[in-house]
Amino acid sequence: MSQLHRVVVGISGASGAAIGLRVLERLAESGTVETHLVISPAAERTLSAEIDPEAPARARALASRCHDHRDVGASIASGSFRTAGMIVAPCSMRSLCAIAYGQLGDLLTRAADVQLKERRRLVLVARESPLHLGHLRAMAQVTEFGAIIAPPVPAFYLKPCDISEIVDQIALRALGLLDLKGEAVASREWRGGEA
């Protein structure tokens, strides 16, 4: 029997909300992952604007457990709550900078900080362009703490046909960084041009 893993999923208010939703869909499809979701208020708005008004409810329905972003005393805010890691997808620069500089005013940033202090994987799908020096310094700092910055950059060699394929590819790449096992969370590998 497969071991059940816990993964924390954060969705912050950057553009690219479909990536966070797809991460949740893939984790739900795996059948081996207990998901703990926290959505920022800005992400609620972005999910509704970029996908549809029902997207926040769909995201919550996919998660095993949903946590209020204001509840800094939730289980995922404690290092004793063991997880396989956390993905913030998309990760706004506001959230990334808050994590990098210890401005932990909500559950999303607190849960991310817990992953770092416990030496667990933290994948930040940083969605901003272009970047100024402050963004780059925050990225460097959070990387030095152990986070993985994974910008949502398509792998064009996979020849995606539409936005849905690009979103899926980015979500799977982020999930791959947590080193989870299973077909639902595995990204396609480059095989040196082999068919």
Side-chain angles (χ1 to χ4, degrees):
M1 178 158 170
S2 299
Q3 179 183 359
L4 185 69
H5 295 284
R6 288 177 178 152
V7 171
V8 180
V9 177
I11 302 178
S12 70
S15 183
I19 299 165
L21 187 60
R22 190 61 182 136
V23 163
L24 287 165
E25 289 169 347
R26 284 294 192 157
L27 289 171
E29 289 169 19
S30 77
T32 61
V33 180
E34 176 185 304
T35 51
H36 289 259
L37 174 65
V38 59
I39 302 175
S40 76
E44 294 265 351
R45 185 173 181 175
T46 308
L47 281 160
S48 295
E50 291 187 350
I51 302 171
D52 62 56
E54 304 305 316
R58 278 205 312 279
R60 286 187 179 89
L62 288 164
S64 307
R65 175 98 194 270
C66 299
H67 302 273
D68 187 294
H69 78 282
R70 296 166 296 190
D71 185 9
V72 293
S75 58
I76 61 174
S78 171
S80 66
F81 188 79
R82 298 194 56 81
T83 71
M86 179 175 181
I87 294 176
V88 182
C91 184
S92 66
M93 278 302 136
R94 181 188 182 285
S95 295
L96 188 145
C97 289
I99 296 162
Y101 297 109
Q103 303 297 314
L104 312 174
D106 61 24
L107 183 58
L108 190 149
T109 55
R110 172 63 186 156
D113 188 67
V114 165
Q115 304 307 309
L116 295 175
K117 81 179 185 69
E118 297 295 327
R119 308 302 192 263
R120 298 179 188 143
R121 296 208 180 166
L122 173 63
V123 178
L124 304 176
V125 182
R127 207 341 250 138
E128 187 61 69
S129 180
L131 301 167
H132 63 60
L133 184 57
H135 297 152
L136 295 170
R137 286 183 174 154
M139 288 179 168
Q141 179 148 317
V142 79
T143 300
E144 288 170 353
F145 295 160
I148 301 169
I149 305 295
V153 179
F156 290 104
Y157 59 84
L158 294 176
K159 299 180 183 171
C161 295
D162 56 29
I163 291 174
S164 176
E165 284 188 19
I166 292 171
V167 167
D168 194 51
Q169 170 193 119
I170 293 166
L172 287 172
R173 180 73 176 115
L175 285 165
L177 294 170
L178 290 184
D179 205 25
L180 299 170
K181 306 297 182 218
E183 191 173 316
V185 294
S187 59
R188 284 179 51 196
E189 294 180 358
W190 173 250
R191 299 193 181 270
E194 298 170 11

mmCIF file of all heavy atoms in Angstrom, residues 18-36:
data_model
loop_
_atom_site.group_PDB
_atom_site.id
_atom_site.type_symbol
_atom_site.label_atom_id
_atom_site.label_comp_id
_atom_site.label_asym_id
_atom_site.label_seq_id
_atom_site.Cartn_x
_atom_site.Cartn_y
_atom_site.Cartn_z
ATOM 1 N N ALA A 18 -4.327 29.446 -12.502
ATOM 2 C CA ALA A 18 -4.626 28.124 -13.051
ATOM 3 C C ALA A 18 -3.555 27.103 -12.671
ATOM 4 O O ALA A 18 -3.848 25.909 -12.565
ATOM 5 C CB ALA A 18 -4.763 28.195 -14.566
ATOM 6 N N ILE A 19 -2.338 27.558 -12.441
ATOM 7 C CA ILE A 19 -1.257 26.635 -12.059
ATOM 8 C C ILE A 19 -1.549 26.040 -10.687
ATOM 9 O O ILE A 19 -1.421 24.831 -10.486
ATOM 10 C CB ILE A 19 0.111 27.343 -12.079
ATOM 11 C CG1 ILE A 19 0.428 27.849 -13.487
ATOM 12 C CG2 ILE A 19 1.208 26.406 -11.582
ATOM 13 C CD1 ILE A 19 1.569 28.852 -13.541
ATOM 14 N N GLY A 20 -1.950 26.879 -9.744
ATOM 15 C CA GLY A 20 -2.296 26.379 -8.411
ATOM 16 C C GLY A 20 -3.456 25.408 -8.453
ATOM 17 O O GLY A 20 -3.434 24.370 -7.784
ATOM 18 N N LEU A 21 -4.459 25.735 -9.251
ATOM 19 C CA LEU A 21 -5.611 24.839 -9.380
ATOM 20 C C LEU A 21 -5.184 23.505 -9.986
ATOM 21 O O LEU A 21 -5.598 22.440 -9.524
ATOM 22 C CB LEU A 21 -6.691 25.501 -10.229
ATOM 23 C CG LEU A 21 -8.020 24.777 -10.327
ATOM 24 C CD1 LEU A 21 -8.679 24.611 -8.953
ATOM 25 C CD2 LEU A 21 -8.961 25.517 -11.277
ATOM 26 N N ARG A 22 -4.310 23.551 -10.985
ATOM 27 C CA ARG A 22 -3.849 22.313 -11.621
ATOM 28 C C ARG A 22 -2.994 21.483 -10.674
ATOM 29 O O ARG A 22 -3.065 20.252 -10.676
ATOM 30 C CB ARG A 22 -3.082 22.610 -12.905
ATOM 31 C CG ARG A 22 -2.808 21.367 -13.721
ATOM 32 C CD ARG A 22 -4.112 20.700 -14.160
ATOM 33 N NE ARG A 22 -3.843 19.477 -14.894
ATOM 34 C CZ ARG A 22 -4.483 18.331 -14.718
ATOM 35 N NH1 ARG A 22 -5.476 18.250 -13.857
ATOM 36 N NH2 ARG A 22 -4.167 17.270 -15.412
ATOM 37 N N VAL A 23 -2.182 22.129 -9.832
ATOM 38 C CA VAL A 23 -1.417 21.405 -8.818
ATOM 39 C C VAL A 23 -2.372 20.626 -7.924
ATOM 40 O O VAL A 23 -2.174 19.432 -7.645
ATOM 41 C CB VAL A 23 -0.543 22.379 -7.989
ATOM 42 C CG1 VAL A 23 -0.061 21.734 -6.696
ATOM 43 C CG2 VAL A 23 0.646 22.857 -8.818
ATOM 44 N N LEU A 24 -3.436 21.267 -7.481
ATOM 45 C CA LEU A 24 -4.432 20.590 -6.634
ATOM 46 C C LEU A 24 -5.104 19.439 -7.365
ATOM 47 O O LEU A 24 -5.320 18.367 -6.787
ATOM 48 C CB LEU A 24 -5.483 21.590 -6.154
ATOM 49 C CG LEU A 24 -5.018 22.564 -5.083
ATOM 50 C CD1 LEU A 24 -6.006 23.714 -4.952
ATOM 51 C CD2 LEU A 24 -4.843 21.854 -3.741
ATOM 52 N N GLU A 25 -5.445 19.648 -8.639
ATOM 53 C CA GLU A 25 -6.075 18.577 -9.424
ATOM 54 C C GLU A 25 -5.146 17.369 -9.535
ATOM 55 O O GLU A 25 -5.576 16.224 -9.342
ATOM 56 C CB GLU A 25 -6.431 19.087 -10.821
ATOM 57 C CG GLU A 25 -7.590 20.058 -10.834
ATOM 58 C CD GLU A 25 -7.777 20.757 -12.171
ATOM 59 O OE1 GLU A 25 -6.877 20.692 -13.054
ATOM 60 O OE2 GLU A 25 -8.835 21.402 -12.334
ATOM 61 N N ARG A 26 -3.890 17.613 -9.850
ATOM 62 C CA ARG A 26 -2.932 16.510 -9.988
ATOM 63 C C ARG A 26 -2.715 15.783 -8.662
ATOM 64 O O ARG A 26 -2.638 14.549 -8.634
ATOM 65 C CB ARG A 26 -1.597 17.027 -10.522
ATOM 66 C CG ARG A 26 -1.617 17.325 -12.000
ATOM 67 C CD ARG A 26 -1.811 16.048 -12.785
ATOM 68 N NE ARG A 26 -1.564 16.244 -14.195
ATOM 69 C CZ ARG A 26 -1.235 15.261 -15.025
ATOM 70 N NH1 ARG A 26 -1.112 14.025 -14.593
ATOM 71 N NH2 ARG A 26 -1.032 15.516 -16.293
ATOM 72 N N LEU A 27 -2.634 16.524 -7.572
ATOM 73 C CA LEU A 27 -2.466 15.883 -6.259
ATOM 74 C C LEU A 27 -3.699 15.059 -5.900
ATOM 75 O O LEU A 27 -3.571 13.957 -5.354
ATOM 76 C CB LEU A 27 -2.174 16.932 -5.190
ATOM 77 C CG LEU A 27 -0.789 17.571 -5.267
ATOM 78 C CD1 LEU A 27 -0.677 18.753 -4.314
ATOM 79 C CD2 LEU A 27 0.309 16.554 -4.988
ATOM 80 N N ALA A 28 -4.879 15.557 -6.216
ATOM 81 C CA ALA A 28 -6.113 14.805 -5.953
ATOM 82 C C ALA A 28 -6.146 13.528 -6.792
ATOM 83 O O ALA A 28 -6.554 12.463 -6.308
ATOM 84 C CB ALA A 28 -7.340 15.675 -6.241
ATOM 85 N N GLU A 29 -5.700 13.622 -8.040
ATOM 86 C CA GLU A 29 -5.667 12.449 -8.930
ATOM 87 C C GLU A 29 -4.702 11.382 -8.426
ATOM 88 O O GLU A 29 -4.898 10.190 -8.698
ATOM 89 C CB GLU A 29 -5.234 12.866 -10.345
ATOM 90 C CG GLU A 29 -6.263 13.656 -11.108
ATOM 91 C CD GLU A 29 -5.684 14.270 -12.384
ATOM 92 O OE1 GLU A 29 -4.612 13.810 -12.860
ATOM 93 O OE2 GLU A 29 -6.303 15.215 -12.905
ATOM 94 N N SER A 30 -3.669 11.781 -7.719
ATOM 95 C CA SER A 30 -2.652 10.821 -7.277
ATOM 96 C C SER A 30 -3.222 9.801 -6.302
ATOM 97 O O SER A 30 -2.795 8.650 -6.277
ATOM 98 C CB SER A 30 -1.468 11.539 -6.634
ATOM 99 O OG SER A 30 -1.791 11.955 -5.317
ATOM 100 N N GLY A 31 -4.186 10.232 -5.473
ATOM 101 C CA GLY A 31 -4.774 9.333 -4.488
ATOM 102 C C GLY A 31 -3.854 9.000 -3.327
ATOM 103 O O GLY A 31 -4.228 8.234 -2.445
ATOM 104 N N THR A 32 -2.658 9.560 -3.310
ATOM 105 C CA THR A 32 -1.699 9.252 -2.235
ATOM 106 C C THR A 32 -1.259 10.486 -1.466
ATOM 107 O O THR A 32 -0.322 10.413 -0.683
ATOM 108 C CB THR A 32 -0.440 8.553 -2.807
ATOM 109 O OG1 THR A 32 0.189 9.443 -3.728
ATOM 110 C CG2 THR A 32 -0.793 7.245 -3.487
ATOM 111 N N VAL A 33 -1.924 11.618 -1.720
ATOM 112 C CA VAL A 33 -1.492 12.865 -1.104
ATOM 113 C C VAL A 33 -2.653 13.541 -0.376
ATOM 114 O O VAL A 33 -3.726 13.720 -0.938
ATOM 115 C CB VAL A 33 -0.897 13.840 -2.152
ATOM 116 C CG1 VAL A 33 -0.458 15.142 -1.499
ATOM 117 C CG2 VAL A 33 0.275 13.191 -2.887
ATOM 118 N N GLU A 34 -2.394 13.882 0.877
ATOM 119 C CA GLU A 34 -3.328 14.673 1.678
ATOM 120 C C GLU A 34 -2.919 16.129 1.497
ATOM 121 O O GLU A 34 -1.793 16.503 1.828
ATOM 122 C CB GLU A 34 -3.200 14.252 3.141
ATOM 123 C CG GLU A 34 -4.029 15.049 4.109
ATOM 124 C CD GLU A 34 -3.734 14.619 5.550
ATOM 125 O OE1 GLU A 34 -3.869 13.404 5.852
ATOM 126 O OE2 GLU A 34 -3.339 15.495 6.338
ATOM 127 N N THR A 35 -3.813 16.933 0.931
ATOM 128 C CA THR A 35 -3.469 18.319 0.632
ATOM 129 C C THR A 35 -4.063 19.273 1.655
ATOM 130 O O THR A 35 -5.214 19.121 2.072
ATOM 131 C CB THR A 35 -3.945 18.725 -0.771
ATOM 132 O OG1 THR A 35 -5.322 18.391 -0.917
ATOM 133 C CG2 THR A 35 -3.139 18.031 -1.842
ATOM 134 N N HIS A 36 -3.254 20.261 2.018
ATOM 135 C CA HIS A 36 -3.657 21.319 2.944
ATOM 136 C C HIS A 36 -3.519 22.634 2.198
ATOM 137 O O HIS A 36 -2.414 23.020 1.806
ATOM 138 C CB HIS A 36 -2.797 21.279 4.208
ATOM 139 C CG HIS A 36 -3.120 20.093 5.040
ATOM 140 N ND1 HIS A 36 -3.913 20.164 6.148
ATOM 141 C CD2 HIS A 36 -2.788 18.783 4.884
ATOM 142 C CE1 HIS A 36 -4.064 18.964 6.661
ATOM 143 N NE2 HIS A 36 -3.375 18.103 5.909
#
